[in-house]
Amino acid sequence: MYTGASTRRDRDATDDDDLYAPADDGRRGPRHPVIAALSVLTLLVLSVTLGFRIGDEDGPTPVPQLLAFLPWLLAPAWLAALGAALSRRWLVMLWALAVLAGTGWFLRPYGPSAPADTAGRPAKAQFRVLTANLKYGAATPDLVKTVRRERPQIVSVQECDARCAVALRDPALREEYPHRIVTGDGGARGSALLSIYPLRDRSEVRGRLSMPGAVADVHGERVALQVAHPMPPKPGSTAAWRVELDRLRAVAAARGKLPTLIAGDFNSSQDHAAFRAILKTGMHDAARMLGNSRTPTWPTRTTPVLGAQIDHVLLSEKLLPVDGEFLDLRGTDHRALLVNVKLF
């Protein structure tokens, strides 16, 4: 009898403990499986993109498109980290932190930050170069106004359509820029190179969009000028984009000791391996050297808060950017870039 009563009391005490003990799910907190799954999916996409950046490759679509906005991938990475914390998936949290750290590492500007030592060296010449994508010629009126206001000696124009070609033939502009190359059949294909300096040895980088070049006689010094406008890396066009950027790289690599300037819409940023390959030939990004390597130039409807710097002025040895600014032109989705350059 005694033993049985004791057993009942023990069982009753255990039952009472179960009644007052918190539920296991309540003690651990909600697991939020949907949030966890979304965090994992987001991190998978970001990790693949980051992996190609680490591997110095551009990868297939949609990697090149995502790489153009690499700094802004921090936002979904933080959201994935928050989702991992809410769902108490600590391994996923560590994964998110690793993605954040890797992305942050590549936010550093690429290439040298300071110009070569030119102390005590007199410049042989100084000139201004303007590059502008006109979006099928829609920004032509503002380009003309900007050219007349800023007075650049060299102008690189992309997406110069029929309206643009007509405007560039204006007698006043022809007098100011007697040396010019206008190529392409209009629309996005058209390009122009305007110069106050004589242009010789004209050339063309093959591409679906026109990319003319020439050698300018700048106060007795030869300077190679090249318009850049490779195909954008749209789905189905990434192969052409790589090939045409590689052709620009070949131009840069073949320059020898000739001072070379490549300006235009490269449709690529410092986070694209194909663009970095051009810089690895010894070319320097003027915006980077002036401390503005990640100033967005496209699309203008979200700049300067959000965007990618895909419009560049690249300079070889003997060319040094003194100052520069990004200009807004009405009618285009690109910002123009104006750079003051010294030739040594």
Side-chain angles (χ1 to χ4, degrees), residues 304-323:
V305 177
L306 174 66
Q309 188 182 91
I310 62 175
D311 300 88
H312 308 271
V313 172
L314 303 187
L315 306 171
S316 71
E317 303 84 353
K318 301 182 181 180
L319 295 174
L320 175 69
V322 179
D323 55 51

Side-chain angles (χ1 to χ4, degrees), residues 126-131 150-154 261-263 284-290 292 311-315 319-327 336-342:
Q126 183 166 327
F127 58 88
R128 306 181 88 188
V129 56
L130 173 71
T131 179
E150 302 293 344
R151 301 291 181 182
Q153 284 76 34
I154 297 168
L261 183 153
I262 308 176
H284 301 88
D285 193 322
R288 164 64 176 124
M289 297 178 78
L290 294 171
N292 299 306
D311 300 88
H312 308 271
V313 172
L314 303 187
L315 306 171
L319 295 174
L320 175 69
V322 179
D323 55 51
E325 61 179 317
F326 296 91
L327 306 174
L337 177 55
L338 179 69
V339 180
N340 196 13
V341 179
K342 281 187 176 181

Side-chain angles (χ1 to χ4, degrees), residues 75-90:
W78 276 114
L79 289 175
L82 178 61
L86 290 174
S87 58
R88 297 180 180 271
R89 308 295 189 182
W90 306 121

Side-chain angles (χ1 to χ4, degrees), residues 22 25 36 42 59 105-106 128 160 181 184 189 205 217 222 244 258 262 277 284-285 294 308 314 317 336:
D25 289 344
T42 299
W105 174 263
F106 287 112
R128 306 181 88 188
C160 181
I181 305 173
R189 297 179 182 273
V205 173
D217 182 352
R222 298 174 73 245
E244 293 174 14
L258 181 65
I262 308 176
H284 301 88
D285 193 322
R294 287 199 176 274
L314 303 187
E317 303 84 353

Side-chain angles (χ1 to χ4, degrees), residues 74-162:
L74 288 173
W78 276 114
L79 289 175
L82 178 61
L86 290 174
S87 58
R88 297 180 180 271
R89 308 295 189 182
W90 306 121
L91 289 179
V92 178
M93 169 67 82
L94 291 175
W95 182 10
L97 293 177
V99 170
L100 284 166
T103 305
W105 174 263
F106 287 112
L107 294 189
R108 301 173 304 158
Y110 184 84
S113 59
D117 183 14
T118 57
R121 294 175 55 192
K124 297 178 181 178
Q126 183 166 327
F127 58 88
R128 306 181 88 188
V129 56
L130 173 71
T131 179
N133 180 312
L134 304 185
K135 192 181 180 182
Y136 306 104
T140 297
D142 225 26
L143 172 72
V144 173
K145 293 177 183 177
T146 301
V147 165
R148 288 173 172 164
R149 181 182 69 246
E150 302 293 344
R151 301 291 181 182
Q153 284 76 34
I154 297 168
V155 184
S156 170
V157 184
Q158 307 91 55
E159 299 198 22
C160 181
D161 70 343

Side-chain angles (χ1 to χ4, degrees), residues 33 41 117 157 167 176 185 199 204 214 231 236 255 276 326 331 339:
L41 180 61
D117 183 14
V157 184
E176 294 173 15
D185 54 2
L199 298 177
E204 179 91 15
M231 283 290 292
R255 69 183 183 274
R276 294 194 302 276
F326 296 91
V339 180

